[in-house]
Amino acid sequence: MKPAAAHGLLLSSLCLALCCRGGARGSPTRLRVYHWRGGVGSWLSTSRWFIQICDLGAPWVTLLSCHLPPERGFEARQKISDSHEWKKLIMVHHWPVTVCKEVEKDCRDPPDYWTIHGLWPDRAEECNGSWPFHFEEIKDLLPEMKMYWPDVIHPLNHSHFWKHEWEKHGTCAAQLDALNSQKKYFGGSLGLYEKLELNSILQKLGIKPSINYYQISDIKDALASMYGVVPKVQCLPPKQGEEVQTIGQIELCFTKDLRLRNCTEPGELGESGRAWGPGLEVCEDGPAFYPPPPQSTR
């Protein structure tokens, strides 16, 4: 038997012993084994597994967790269950002026260009709560992170925003080898952002912040003509006294091999009203306001 398998067997025996001890005082114990990866036959090589004790004569459930040592590296940290499966990655750009409006905060000198909100797998969040964010792992990315992935609302404390993005979305994106570390996730996201060049593309298309309104269909068609795929545009609905919706986010989507794809395919359900922010909705067809930065309106 290989050392790793023997070690897993030792840990599993310990967990089983604890389970038996816990159930010895009550009704017969039923055990169910849950695997984060692999089938029942591969549990010895699984990085983490759970035993759930039921029917102990009490209205509660005990959950035991056995961990293999950190030396196993990424394999020991990647614990993705079936409920965390996803199909596409969404590169979410947000417009800082609208971000400030969305949270009703007078932001201090927000950037006058589209910045990164995040790189998000669809239909998966918080895939690994035991893989915390470590600021040190992305220190050499800081100049670009502060420039292109700033915390618009809290410009003096970017790391809290990055921590949130890693723990909620990065731990799921880490299923891909190309994004399977914090440095790869943030570095890869920056690379996609620079490759997409959304700010330059909008400028070339003549789509600039303005007091005049744009038609959402015109923006989507123009972007589709440049990227060859259908994007998604999100807006803040008009508040009382406002005439039109306000453009807030533009999404461009990727396959698991990091190729551009349509954000919504014909017949795809559950996407039309999905919101990625407290007040954002998929823009309705019709006019929309693309607000200029504050200094442009003084």
Side-chain angles (χ1 to χ4, degrees):
M1 182 179 292
K2 294 182 179 180
H7 190 72
L9 182 58
L10 179 61
L11 286 175
S12 65
S13 300
L14 176 59
C15 286
L16 287 170
L18 290 171
C19 291
C20 293
R21 181 179 179 183
R25 290 172 286 174
S27 304
T29 302
R30 289 198 317 226
L31 301 181
R32 290 203 297 268
V33 178
Y34 290 87
H35 301 275
W36 286 103
R37 297 188 67 195
V40 174
S42 63
W43 64 270
L44 279 177
S45 61
T46 302
S47 60
R48 186 178 182 182
W49 59 283
F50 292 96
I51 299 174
Q52 185 174 3
I53 307 172
C54 305
D55 297 338
L56 296 181
W60 43 263
V61 173
T62 299
L63 188 66
L64 291 178
S65 169
C66 293
H67 298 263
L68 293 183
E71 305 89 76
R72 293 284 295 276
F74 172 71
E75 181 184 355
R77 295 192 303 263
Q78 184 155 346
K79 302 182 284 287
I80 308 298
S81 68
D82 291 341
S83 63
H84 293 136
E85 286 297 319
W86 51 270
K87 294 182 179 179
K88 64 188 175 190
L89 282 169
I90 307 168
M91 171 55 75
V92 186
H93 305 74
H94 57 189
W95 181 239
V97 179
T98 305
V99 174
C100 297
K101 178 183 178 182
E102 182 181 5
V103 298
E104 299 181 344
K105 181 175 179 178
D106 184 16
C107 298
R108 178 182 173 184
D109 298 325
D112 59 355
Y113 50 90
W114 289 82
T115 60
I116 302 173
H117 189 170
L119 181 65
W120 303 342
D122 69 324
R123 307 182 188 280
E125 295 179 352
E126 299 176 347
C127 294
N128 189 345
S130 65
W131 196 351
F133 174 74
H134 292 296
F135 182 78
E136 295 76 15
E137 294 190 30
I138 61 167
K139 273 190 173 180
D140 58 344
L141 299 175
L142 283 183
E144 291 129 310
M145 292 289 291
K146 289 179 178 179
M147 177 70 71
Y148 303 122
W149 202 332
D151 186 336
V152 176
I153 303 170
H154 307 100
L156 300 179
N157 184 21
H158 301 287
S159 62
H160 180 76
F161 177 40
W162 301 333
K163 176 179 183 292
H164 167 80
E165 290 300 308
W166 166 255
E167 293 177 351
K168 186 172 183 179
H169 305 292
T171 54
C172 300
Q175 291 183 42
L176 302 185
D177 289 342
L179 304 172
N180 68 4
S181 71
Q182 291 174 48
K183 185 172 183 179
K184 285 184 179 181
Y185 171 70
F186 289 105
S189 299
L190 288 167
L192 292 175
Y193 171 85
E194 293 172 3
K195 178 181 177 181
L196 290 169
E197 295 184 306
L198 178 63
N199 290 286
S200 297
I201 293 294
L202 290 171
Q203 290 281 335
K204 290 177 182 177
L205 292 169
I207 302 172
K208 305 175 182 179
S210 172
I211 58 174
N212 299 314
Y213 301 151
Y214 291 93
Q215 292 292 322
I216 289 297
S217 58
D218 291 342
I219 293 176
K220 291 174 65 176
D221 290 346
L223 289 173
S225 71
M226 296 296 289
Y227 290 112
V229 294
V230 178
K232 186 180 291 184
V233 186
Q234 295 194 342
C235 294
L236 284 178
K239 297 181 180 179
Q240 187 173 3
E242 294 180 339
E243 296 180 351
V244 298
Q245 58 196 336
T246 301
I247 296 172
Q249 292 190 158
I250 293 178
E251 300 175 4
L252 289 156
C253 299
F254 290 85
T255 62
K256 285 190 172 184
D257 57 0
L258 302 182
R259 297 183 182 182
L260 279 168
R261 54 155 286 174
N262 294 335
C263 282
T264 304
E265 299 289 356
E268 198 169 76
L269 300 177
E271 294 286 343
S272 58
R274 189 170 187 177
W276 291 118
L280 290 172
E281 298 177 356
V282 175
C283 300
E284 296 183 359
D285 287 337
F289 180 39
Y290 182 7
Q295 60 266 28
S296 299
T297 59
R298 290 172 185 169

